[in-house]
mmCIF file of all heavy atoms in Angstrom:
data_model
loop_
_atom_site.group_PDB
_atom_site.id
_atom_site.type_symbol
_atom_site.label_atom_id
_atom_site.label_comp_id
_atom_site.label_asym_id
_atom_site.label_seq_id
_atom_site.Cartn_x
_atom_site.Cartn_y
_atom_site.Cartn_z
ATOM 1 N N ALA F 1016 17.830 -4.226 -16.738
ATOM 2 C CA ALA F 1016 16.561 -4.305 -16.022
ATOM 3 C C ALA F 1016 16.394 -3.114 -15.079
ATOM 4 O O ALA F 1016 15.296 -2.557 -14.946
ATOM 5 C CB ALA F 1016 16.481 -5.615 -15.241
ATOM 6 N N SER F 1017 17.465 -2.696 -14.427
ATOM 7 C CA SER F 1017 17.382 -1.564 -13.503
ATOM 8 C C SER F 1017 17.069 -0.264 -14.237
ATOM 9 O O SER F 1017 16.292 0.568 -13.749
ATOM 10 C CB SER F 1017 18.696 -1.421 -12.727
ATOM 11 O OG SER F 1017 18.934 -2.549 -11.917
ATOM 12 N N TYR F 1018 17.661 -0.078 -15.422
ATOM 13 C CA TYR F 1018 17.313 1.093 -16.228
ATOM 14 C C TYR F 1018 15.822 1.070 -16.572
ATOM 15 O O TYR F 1018 15.139 2.103 -16.511
ATOM 16 C CB TYR F 1018 18.140 1.118 -17.515
ATOM 17 C CG TYR F 1018 19.567 1.542 -17.331
ATOM 18 C CD1 TYR F 1018 20.620 0.674 -17.608
ATOM 19 C CD2 TYR F 1018 19.876 2.829 -16.885
ATOM 20 C CE1 TYR F 1018 21.944 1.061 -17.436
ATOM 21 C CE2 TYR F 1018 21.198 3.222 -16.711
ATOM 22 C CZ TYR F 1018 22.227 2.331 -16.993
ATOM 23 O OH TYR F 1018 23.527 2.727 -16.824
ATOM 24 N N ALA F 1019 15.323 -0.097 -16.961
ATOM 25 C CA ALA F 1019 13.905 -0.212 -17.318
ATOM 26 C C ALA F 1019 13.008 0.028 -16.111
ATOM 27 O O ALA F 1019 12.004 0.736 -16.202
ATOM 28 C CB ALA F 1019 13.636 -1.597 -17.913
ATOM 29 N N PHE F 1020 13.370 -0.555 -14.963
ATOM 30 C CA PHE F 1020 12.577 -0.328 -13.745
ATOM 31 C C PHE F 1020 12.532 1.160 -13.409
ATOM 32 O O PHE F 1020 11.492 1.685 -12.999
ATOM 33 C CB PHE F 1020 13.177 -1.106 -12.571
ATOM 34 C CG PHE F 1020 12.851 -2.574 -12.574
ATOM 35 C CD1 PHE F 1020 13.837 -3.523 -12.346
ATOM 36 C CD2 PHE F 1020 11.551 -3.021 -12.791
ATOM 37 C CE1 PHE F 1020 13.554 -4.875 -12.344
ATOM 38 C CE2 PHE F 1020 11.244 -4.374 -12.787
ATOM 39 C CZ PHE F 1020 12.254 -5.305 -12.560
ATOM 40 N N GLY F 1021 13.661 1.841 -13.555
ATOM 41 C CA GLY F 1021 13.684 3.274 -13.284
ATOM 42 C C GLY F 1021 12.788 4.047 -14.227
ATOM 43 O O GLY F 1021 12.061 4.958 -13.819
ATOM 44 N N ALA F 1022 12.822 3.679 -15.526
ATOM 45 C CA ALA F 1022 11.981 4.370 -16.505
ATOM 46 C C ALA F 1022 10.498 4.161 -16.224
ATOM 47 O O ALA F 1022 9.679 5.038 -16.513
ATOM 48 C CB ALA F 1022 12.317 3.881 -17.914
ATOM 49 N N PHE F 1023 10.163 3.007 -15.665
ATOM 50 C CA PHE F 1023 8.764 2.738 -15.337
ATOM 51 C C PHE F 1023 8.379 3.222 -13.943
ATOM 52 O O PHE F 1023 7.247 3.026 -13.512
ATOM 53 C CB PHE F 1023 8.462 1.251 -15.472
ATOM 54 C CG PHE F 1023 8.177 0.822 -16.883
ATOM 55 C CD1 PHE F 1023 9.168 0.294 -17.676
ATOM 56 C CD2 PHE F 1023 6.913 0.973 -17.421
ATOM 57 C CE1 PHE F 1023 8.930 -0.088 -18.982
ATOM 58 C CE2 PHE F 1023 6.643 0.593 -18.724
ATOM 59 C CZ PHE F 1023 7.658 0.062 -19.513
ATOM 60 N N GLY F 1024 9.312 3.854 -13.238
ATOM 61 C CA GLY F 1024 8.967 4.517 -11.987
ATOM 62 C C GLY F 1024 9.024 3.670 -10.744
ATOM 63 O O GLY F 1024 8.405 4.025 -9.736
ATOM 64 N N VAL F 1025 9.745 2.550 -10.757
ATOM 65 C CA VAL F 1025 9.890 1.761 -9.534
ATOM 66 C C VAL F 1025 10.642 2.601 -8.496
ATOM 67 O O VAL F 1025 11.717 3.128 -8.794
ATOM 68 C CB VAL F 1025 10.659 0.447 -9.809
ATOM 69 C CG1 VAL F 1025 10.919 -0.303 -8.509
ATOM 70 C CG2 VAL F 1025 9.874 -0.430 -10.778
ATOM 71 N N PRO F 1026 10.097 2.766 -7.286
ATOM 72 C CA PRO F 1026 10.755 3.606 -6.279
ATOM 73 C C PRO F 1026 12.147 3.102 -5.934
ATOM 74 O O PRO F 1026 12.428 1.901 -5.989
ATOM 75 C CB PRO F 1026 9.813 3.496 -5.065
ATOM 76 C CG PRO F 1026 8.483 3.130 -5.645
ATOM 77 C CD PRO F 1026 8.790 2.256 -6.828
ATOM 78 N N LEU F 1027 13.006 4.030 -5.529
ATOM 79 C CA LEU F 1027 14.391 3.670 -5.227
ATOM 80 C C LEU F 1027 14.482 2.677 -4.072
ATOM 81 O O LEU F 1027 15.344 1.796 -4.070
ATOM 82 C CB LEU F 1027 15.202 4.926 -4.902
ATOM 83 C CG LEU F 1027 15.572 5.820 -6.092
ATOM 84 C CD1 LEU F 1027 16.392 7.004 -5.608
ATOM 85 C CD2 LEU F 1027 16.362 5.033 -7.127
ATOM 86 N N TRP F 1028 13.606 2.814 -3.071
ATOM 87 C CA TRP F 1028 13.701 1.889 -1.944
ATOM 88 C C TRP F 1028 13.361 0.473 -2.385
ATOM 89 O O TRP F 1028 13.977 -0.502 -1.905
ATOM 90 C CB TRP F 1028 12.796 2.336 -0.789
ATOM 91 C CG TRP F 1028 11.325 2.065 -0.986
ATOM 92 C CD1 TRP F 1028 10.394 2.921 -1.502
ATOM 93 C CD2 TRP F 1028 10.629 0.851 -0.667
ATOM 94 N NE1 TRP F 1028 9.160 2.322 -1.532
ATOM 95 C CE2 TRP F 1028 9.265 1.061 -1.026
ATOM 96 C CE3 TRP F 1028 11.010 -0.367 -0.118
ATOM 97 C CZ2 TRP F 1028 8.295 0.071 -0.839
ATOM 98 C CZ3 TRP F 1028 10.043 -1.360 0.068
ATOM 99 C CH2 TRP F 1028 8.705 -1.133 -0.288
ATOM 100 N N GLN F 1029 12.423 0.333 -3.330
ATOM 101 C CA GLN F 1029 12.114 -0.988 -3.857
ATOM 102 C C GLN F 1029 13.289 -1.534 -4.665
ATOM 103 O O GLN F 1029 13.596 -2.732 -4.603
ATOM 104 C CB GLN F 1029 10.859 -0.934 -4.722
ATOM 105 C CG GLN F 1029 9.580 -0.688 -3.942
ATOM 106 C CD GLN F 1029 8.341 -0.794 -4.818
ATOM 107 O OE1 GLN F 1029 8.429 -0.968 -6.026
ATOM 108 N NE2 GLN F 1029 7.176 -0.675 -4.191
ATOM 109 N N MET F 1030 13.954 -0.670 -5.421
ATOM 110 C CA MET F 1030 15.122 -1.101 -6.173
ATOM 111 C C MET F 1030 16.219 -1.586 -5.232
ATOM 112 O O MET F 1030 16.829 -2.643 -5.455
ATOM 113 C CB MET F 1030 15.653 0.041 -7.032
ATOM 114 C CG MET F 1030 14.819 0.377 -8.248
ATOM 115 S SD MET F 1030 14.656 -1.006 -9.413
ATOM 116 C CE MET F 1030 16.366 -1.458 -9.674
ATOM 117 N N ALA F 1031 16.500 -0.826 -4.189
ATOM 118 C CA ALA F 1031 17.589 -1.171 -3.276
ATOM 119 C C ALA F 1031 17.288 -2.454 -2.508
ATOM 120 O O ALA F 1031 18.105 -3.382 -2.468
ATOM 121 C CB ALA F 1031 17.842 -0.010 -2.309
ATOM 122 N N VAL F 1032 16.097 -2.513 -1.909
ATOM 123 C CA VAL F 1032 15.741 -3.694 -1.114
ATOM 124 C C VAL F 1032 15.581 -4.915 -2.005
ATOM 125 O O VAL F 1032 16.046 -6.014 -1.680
ATOM 126 C CB VAL F 1032 14.451 -3.425 -0.305
ATOM 127 C CG1 VAL F 1032 14.013 -4.682 0.437
ATOM 128 C CG2 VAL F 1032 14.663 -2.286 0.672
ATOM 129 N N GLY F 1033 14.919 -4.741 -3.155
ATOM 130 C CA GLY F 1033 14.720 -5.859 -4.072
ATOM 131 C C GLY F 1033 16.034 -6.390 -4.620
ATOM 132 O O GLY F 1033 16.223 -7.610 -4.721
ATOM 133 N N ALA F 1034 16.953 -5.492 -4.983
ATOM 134 C CA ALA F 1034 18.257 -5.926 -5.487
ATOM 135 C C ALA F 1034 19.033 -6.676 -4.412
ATOM 136 O O ALA F 1034 19.699 -7.677 -4.697
ATOM 137 C CB ALA F 1034 19.059 -4.722 -5.967
ATOM 138 N N PHE F 1035 18.926 -6.213 -3.175
ATOM 139 C CA PHE F 1035 19.627 -6.891 -2.081
ATOM 140 C C PHE F 1035 19.075 -8.301 -1.863
ATOM 141 O O PHE F 1035 19.830 -9.279 -1.846
ATOM 142 C CB PHE F 1035 19.503 -6.077 -0.788
ATOM 143 C CG PHE F 1035 20.167 -6.725 0.399
ATOM 144 C CD1 PHE F 1035 21.519 -6.519 0.621
ATOM 145 C CD2 PHE F 1035 19.454 -7.529 1.270
ATOM 146 C CE1 PHE F 1035 22.156 -7.123 1.709
ATOM 147 C CE2 PHE F 1035 20.075 -8.140 2.358
ATOM 148 C CZ PHE F 1035 21.420 -7.928 2.577
ATOM 149 N N ILE F 1036 17.749 -8.406 -1.721
ATOM 150 C CA ILE F 1036 17.147 -9.715 -1.449
ATOM 151 C C ILE F 1036 17.391 -10.679 -2.614
ATOM 152 O O ILE F 1036 17.806 -11.825 -2.423
ATOM 153 C CB ILE F 1036 15.634 -9.566 -1.193
ATOM 154 C CG1 ILE F 1036 15.383 -8.751 0.082
ATOM 155 C CG2 ILE F 1036 14.965 -10.942 -1.072
ATOM 156 C CD1 ILE F 1036 13.927 -8.404 0.311
ATOM 157 N N GLY F 1037 17.135 -10.192 -3.815
ATOM 158 C CA GLY F 1037 17.227 -11.068 -4.976
ATOM 159 C C GLY F 1037 18.641 -11.457 -5.352
ATOM 160 O O GLY F 1037 18.846 -12.450 -6.061
ATOM 161 N N SER F 1038 19.633 -10.701 -4.869
ATOM 162 C CA SER F 1038 21.017 -10.960 -5.268
ATOM 163 C C SER F 1038 21.792 -11.806 -4.272
ATOM 164 O O SER F 1038 22.933 -12.185 -4.561
ATOM 165 C CB SER F 1038 21.758 -9.629 -5.481
ATOM 166 O OG SER F 1038 21.167 -8.888 -6.529
ATOM 167 N N VAL F 1039 21.210 -12.094 -3.119
ATOM 168 C CA VAL F 1039 21.944 -12.853 -2.104
ATOM 169 C C VAL F 1039 22.443 -14.199 -2.632
ATOM 170 O O VAL F 1039 23.627 -14.532 -2.485
ATOM 171 C CB VAL F 1039 21.094 -13.034 -0.829
ATOM 172 C CG1 VAL F 1039 21.735 -14.048 0.107
ATOM 173 C CG2 VAL F 1039 20.924 -11.699 -0.108
ATOM 174 N N PRO F 1040 21.576 -15.023 -3.275
ATOM 175 C CA PRO F 1040 22.083 -16.319 -3.754
ATOM 176 C C PRO F 1040 23.210 -16.176 -4.772
ATOM 177 O O PRO F 1040 24.242 -16.854 -4.677
ATOM 178 C CB PRO F 1040 20.842 -16.982 -4.368
ATOM 179 C CG PRO F 1040 19.689 -16.308 -3.718
ATOM 180 C CD PRO F 1040 20.122 -14.900 -3.500
ATOM 181 N N ARG F 1041 23.034 -15.297 -5.749
ATOM 182 C CA ARG F 1041 24.067 -15.139 -6.778
ATOM 183 C C ARG F 1041 25.328 -14.509 -6.212
ATOM 184 O O ARG F 1041 26.438 -14.803 -6.667
ATOM 185 C CB ARG F 1041 23.536 -14.324 -7.949
ATOM 186 C CG ARG F 1041 22.573 -15.110 -8.831
ATOM 187 C CD ARG F 1041 22.320 -14.406 -10.123
ATOM 188 N NE ARG F 1041 21.712 -13.093 -9.935
ATOM 189 C CZ ARG F 1041 21.493 -12.230 -10.912
ATOM 190 N NH1 ARG F 1041 21.844 -12.541 -12.152
ATOM 191 N NH2 ARG F 1041 20.932 -11.078 -10.680
ATOM 192 N N ALA F 1042 25.169 -13.618 -5.239
ATOM 193 C CA ALA F 1042 26.350 -13.027 -4.604
ATOM 194 C C ALA F 1042 27.178 -14.124 -3.946
ATOM 195 O O ALA F 1042 28.419 -14.135 -4.052
ATOM 196 C CB ALA F 1042 25.931 -11.981 -3.571
ATOM 197 N N PHE F 1043 26.491 -15.041 -3.288
ATOM 198 C CA PHE F 1043 27.208 -16.161 -2.672
ATOM 199 C C PHE F 1043 27.892 -17.015 -3.729
ATOM 200 O O PHE F 1043 29.061 -17.398 -3.581
ATOM 201 C CB PHE F 1043 26.241 -17.022 -1.860
ATOM 202 C CG PHE F 1043 26.854 -18.319 -1.388
ATOM 203 C CD1 PHE F 1043 27.693 -18.336 -0.286
ATOM 204 C CD2 PHE F 1043 26.619 -19.504 -2.071
ATOM 205 C CE1 PHE F 1043 28.284 -19.524 0.136
ATOM 206 C CE2 PHE F 1043 27.199 -20.699 -1.658
ATOM 207 C CZ PHE F 1043 28.039 -20.705 -0.549
ATOM 208 N N VAL F 1044 27.171 -17.308 -4.808
ATOM 209 C CA VAL F 1044 27.701 -18.199 -5.841
ATOM 210 C C VAL F 1044 28.971 -17.630 -6.463
ATOM 211 O O VAL F 1044 30.040 -18.265 -6.439
ATOM 212 C CB VAL F 1044 26.634 -18.451 -6.931
ATOM 213 C CG1 VAL F 1044 27.262 -19.145 -8.142
ATOM 214 C CG2 VAL F 1044 25.494 -19.283 -6.381
ATOM 215 N N TYR F 1045 28.875 -16.446 -7.034
ATOM 216 C CA TYR F 1045 30.001 -15.917 -7.809
ATOM 217 C C TYR F 1045 31.144 -15.435 -6.918
ATOM 218 O O TYR F 1045 32.316 -15.553 -7.287
ATOM 219 C CB TYR F 1045 29.521 -14.797 -8.732
ATOM 220 C CG TYR F 1045 28.552 -15.282 -9.762
ATOM 221 C CD1 TYR F 1045 27.241 -14.825 -9.809
ATOM 222 C CD2 TYR F 1045 28.932 -16.248 -10.704
ATOM 223 C CE1 TYR F 1045 26.348 -15.286 -10.762
ATOM 224 C CE2 TYR F 1045 28.038 -16.718 -11.655
ATOM 225 C CZ TYR F 1045 26.751 -16.235 -11.672
ATOM 226 O OH TYR F 1045 25.868 -16.706 -12.602
ATOM 227 N N THR F 1046 30.803 -14.896 -5.747
ATOM 228 C CA THR F 1046 31.859 -14.497 -4.824
ATOM 229 C C THR F 1046 32.609 -15.718 -4.311
ATOM 230 O O THR F 1046 33.839 -15.710 -4.203
ATOM 231 C CB THR F 1046 31.275 -13.701 -3.642
ATOM 232 O OG1 THR F 1046 30.518 -12.592 -4.139
ATOM 233 C CG2 THR F 1046 32.379 -13.176 -2.747
ATOM 234 N N SER F 1047 31.858 -16.776 -4.018
ATOM 235 C CA SER F 1047 32.494 -18.010 -3.540
ATOM 236 C C SER F 1047 33.367 -18.635 -4.616
ATOM 237 O O SER F 1047 34.436 -19.185 -4.319
ATOM 238 C CB SER F 1047 31.426 -19.006 -3.072
ATOM 239 O OG SER F 1047 30.706 -18.496 -1.971
ATOM 240 N N LEU F 1048 32.932 -18.582 -5.848
ATOM 241 C CA LEU F 1048 33.752 -19.110 -6.930
ATOM 242 C C LEU F 1048 35.071 -18.349 -7.034
ATOM 243 O O LEU F 1048 36.140 -18.941 -7.217
ATOM 244 C CB LEU F 1048 32.994 -19.053 -8.251
ATOM 245 C CG LEU F 1048 31.877 -20.085 -8.435
ATOM 246 C CD1 LEU F 1048 31.120 -19.828 -9.733
ATOM 247 C CD2 LEU F 1048 32.448 -21.499 -8.437
ATOM 248 N N GLY F 1049 34.988 -17.022 -6.927
ATOM 249 C CA GLY F 1049 36.214 -16.230 -6.960
ATOM 250 C C GLY F 1049 37.117 -16.543 -5.776
ATOM 251 O O GLY F 1049 38.339 -16.664 -5.920
ATOM 252 N N ALA F 1050 36.499 -16.701 -4.594
ATOM 253 C CA ALA F 1050 37.285 -17.024 -3.404
ATOM 254 C C ALA F 1050 37.886 -18.418 -3.505
ATOM 255 O O ALA F 1050 39.011 -18.654 -3.034
ATOM 256 C CB ALA F 1050 36.408 -16.924 -2.158
ATOM 257 N N SER F 1051 37.166 -19.352 -4.131
ATOM 258 C CA SER F 1051 37.690 -20.719 -4.254
ATOM 259 C C SER F 1051 38.921 -20.765 -5.154
ATOM 260 O O SER F 1051 39.800 -21.607 -4.973
ATOM 261 C CB SER F 1051 36.599 -21.648 -4.801
ATOM 262 O OG SER F 1051 36.320 -21.364 -6.169
ATOM 263 N N ILE F 1052 38.973 -19.849 -6.131
ATOM 264 C CA ILE F 1052 40.169 -19.769 -6.986
ATOM 265 C C ILE F 1052 41.366 -19.277 -6.178
ATOM 266 O O ILE F 1052 42.474 -19.812 -6.275
ATOM 267 C CB ILE F 1052 39.909 -18.848 -8.187
ATOM 268 C CG1 ILE F 1052 38.817 -19.452 -9.084
ATOM 269 C CG2 ILE F 1052 41.190 -18.611 -8.984
ATOM 270 C CD1 ILE F 1052 38.368 -18.536 -10.195
ATOM 271 N N ALA F 1053 41.116 -18.246 -5.355
ATOM 272 C CA ALA F 1053 42.213 -17.699 -4.550
ATOM 273 C C ALA F 1053 42.660 -18.689 -3.480
ATOM 274 O O ALA F 1053 43.861 -18.842 -3.224
ATOM 275 C CB ALA F 1053 41.770 -16.390 -3.905
#
Side-chain angles (χ1 to χ4, degrees):
S1017 297
Y1018 284 117
F1020 282 134
F1023 278 96
V1025 175
L1027 286 181
W1028 76 266
Q1029 290 186 355
M1030 287 300 307
V1032 175
F1035 178 86
I1036 295 173
S1038 298
V1039 169
R1041 286 193 299 174
F1043 170 79
V1044 169
Y1045 296 117
T1046 305
S1047 297
L1048 286 174
S1051 70
I1052 295 173

